[in-house]
Amino acid sequence: MRAAAWLLLCGMLICTLGACANAKNKKVIATSGEYEIPYEQLRFVTMTYKMDLDDKYGDGNDENGTIWDDPTTAEKYRAELEELVWNTIKENYALLHACAQEGVGREVFEGKEIEKAVDANMTELLAEYTSKREYKAALKERYATDRLFRFYFALDEMKYMLHTAMQNRGAFFTDEAEFETWLTDGNSAYVQHFLLTHENDTEKEENRAILEDARQKLISGEWTLTDCINKANDDLTNVSPYYLVRNVHKDALVDTAVSLKNAGDVSEIVEDDGVLYVFVRVEETETQDEMGNMYSTLSLQLTKLLSDYQWAIVGDVVEAAKASLNIEINDYGKSIDLVAMQ
């Protein structure tokens, strides 16, 4: 629970230690519709990203300080830090606004049902610490507070309420048989891929030539798919067959994959967000259990695929809310230098 709670807190990027700190933590730095955003949220998100960016761009030597200690490097990464921070805060409140659009408003977020669930999560979390002192030390180390934990636990509960509300209005498939029919009707493909990433046009054209050479060798039989994955691929973490599913994955990728009709068919090169892909259609196999029952690859993965599909639809609703959401930063919030924050 302890590790999961910290992951939730950082992943949602979707006890007080003194009266002065408490007052500052509660101070409003911005608003999002009817919600006030306190300083403690800004500080937690900012300090988390400052550590992440230092890990990414720093030299890893603590004795040399961080990228934020040097005015030159601090200024270099200021814009990236500010974008990450405010984008994360916006995502948090986009979830609440998406909930409101589905009839799950602030009264629910601040209501007894959510409070009860949050209390249970907090009790479970606190039980994993040997003392309040240890818990407070952990909060201080992570730049967190009790209220912050309660906020993110409540936000997580709202995510599930949003899912339920959307399910009740029929926003997505819930029946596995209907979902399977939809999948096999041109909305999914069982594939493997090899890919190369690029950061500029020159690199993109070089990678395109490499991938095209690999494609032709695969089609001619000179190379196997394993050869392509080993020799023309930047993604060695994902080398097993998987289902590309519409609404879960990008349309351009799904369209390319479903155009491959037979096992072994090789796609043209397709680009998406700085990545060039080649897809290969893979044969779906059957597995026999100890009772002699046969199960297709799709049937074995169907429950997870349905869940992934549903949550992708929920995510699309949150993204739509985010696109129209405004965060109004007040004068106090504008006066805070994120780079200087400690």
Side-chain angles (χ1 to χ4, degrees), residues 252-296:
L253 305 184
V254 178
D255 289 344
T256 298
V258 299
S259 70
L260 307 174
K261 301 304 181 184
N262 301 304
D265 285 354
V266 181
S267 78
E268 299 289 337
I269 297 170
V270 59
E271 180 180 2
D272 181 71
D273 196 23
V275 183
L276 297 176
Y277 296 83
V278 175
F279 292 102
V280 180
R281 188 96 185 203
V282 178
E283 183 177 4
E284 299 180 50
T285 59
E286 290 193 333
T287 301
Q288 185 175 19
D289 67 13
E290 57 187 19
M291 302 297 293
N293 299 310
M294 301 299 294
Y295 296 94
S296 68

Side-chain angles (χ1 to χ4, degrees), residues 73-277:
T73 55
E75 199 59 35
K76 179 179 179 180
Y77 299 114
R78 173 185 294 277
E80 185 173 357
L81 173 67
E82 291 175 346
E83 181 179 0
L84 287 167
V85 168
W86 288 110
N87 186 62
T88 296
I89 290 175
K90 192 171 185 179
E91 286 176 354
N92 291 339
Y93 288 89
L95 172 60
L96 294 176
H97 284 268
C99 287
Q101 292 168 7
E102 295 288 335
V104 186
R106 185 169 183 171
E107 69 282 359
V108 176
F109 184 59
E110 297 175 350
K112 294 295 183 182
E113 184 176 350
I114 294 277
E115 183 180 6
K116 184 178 179 180
V118 170
D119 286 344
N121 281 319
M122 290 299 295
T123 298
E124 188 176 349
L125 173 63
L126 289 168
E128 298 190 15
Y129 289 89
T130 58
S131 66
K132 286 187 177 180
R133 177 173 300 202
E134 182 190 8
Y135 171 62
K136 287 183 178 181
L139 290 176
K140 185 176 182 179
E141 181 182 359
R142 305 276 186 136
Y143 307 97
T145 67
D146 259 335
R147 281 185 307 275
L148 198 61
F149 257 121
R150 297 188 69 88
F151 172 78
Y152 280 109
F153 276 136
L155 211 59
D156 201 43
E157 293 296 322
M158 290 292 280
K159 178 180 67 177
Y160 287 98
M161 287 194 169
L162 174 60
H163 183 285
T164 299
M166 292 178 63
Q167 177 176 312
N168 290 341
R169 72 168 172 84
F172 43 67
F173 290 106
T174 57
D175 180 79
E176 287 192 355
E178 292 181 357
F179 180 61
E180 183 173 8
T181 299
W182 179 81
L183 285 176
T184 56
D185 189 25
N187 292 298
S188 71
Y190 193 52
V191 297
Q192 282 183 269
H193 70 247
F194 49 100
L195 63 81
L196 293 173
T197 60
H198 56 266
E199 295 183 356
N200 54 58
D201 289 341
T202 300
E203 196 173 55
K204 180 172 75 170
E205 292 312 308
E206 291 173 350
N207 288 348
R208 186 181 295 278
I210 293 170
L211 287 177
E212 184 58 32
D213 180 62
R215 273 187 78 250
Q216 294 301 329
K217 288 178 177 177
L218 178 60
I219 292 169
S220 69
E222 182 179 349
W223 279 10
T224 66
L225 178 55
T226 300
D227 290 329
C228 294
I229 290 171
N230 289 335
K231 299 177 181 180
N233 180 39
D234 288 335
D235 183 20
L236 295 178
T237 63
N238 188 8
V239 295
S240 299
Y242 62 97
Y243 285 96
L244 270 175
V245 178
R246 199 172 303 283
N247 295 121
V248 178
H249 302 100
K250 299 288 185 66
D251 284 346
L253 305 184
V254 178
D255 289 344
T256 298
V258 299
S259 70
L260 307 174
K261 301 304 181 184
N262 301 304
D265 285 354
V266 181
S267 78
E268 299 289 337
I269 297 170
V270 59
E271 180 180 2
D272 181 71
D273 196 23
V275 183
L276 297 176
Y277 296 83

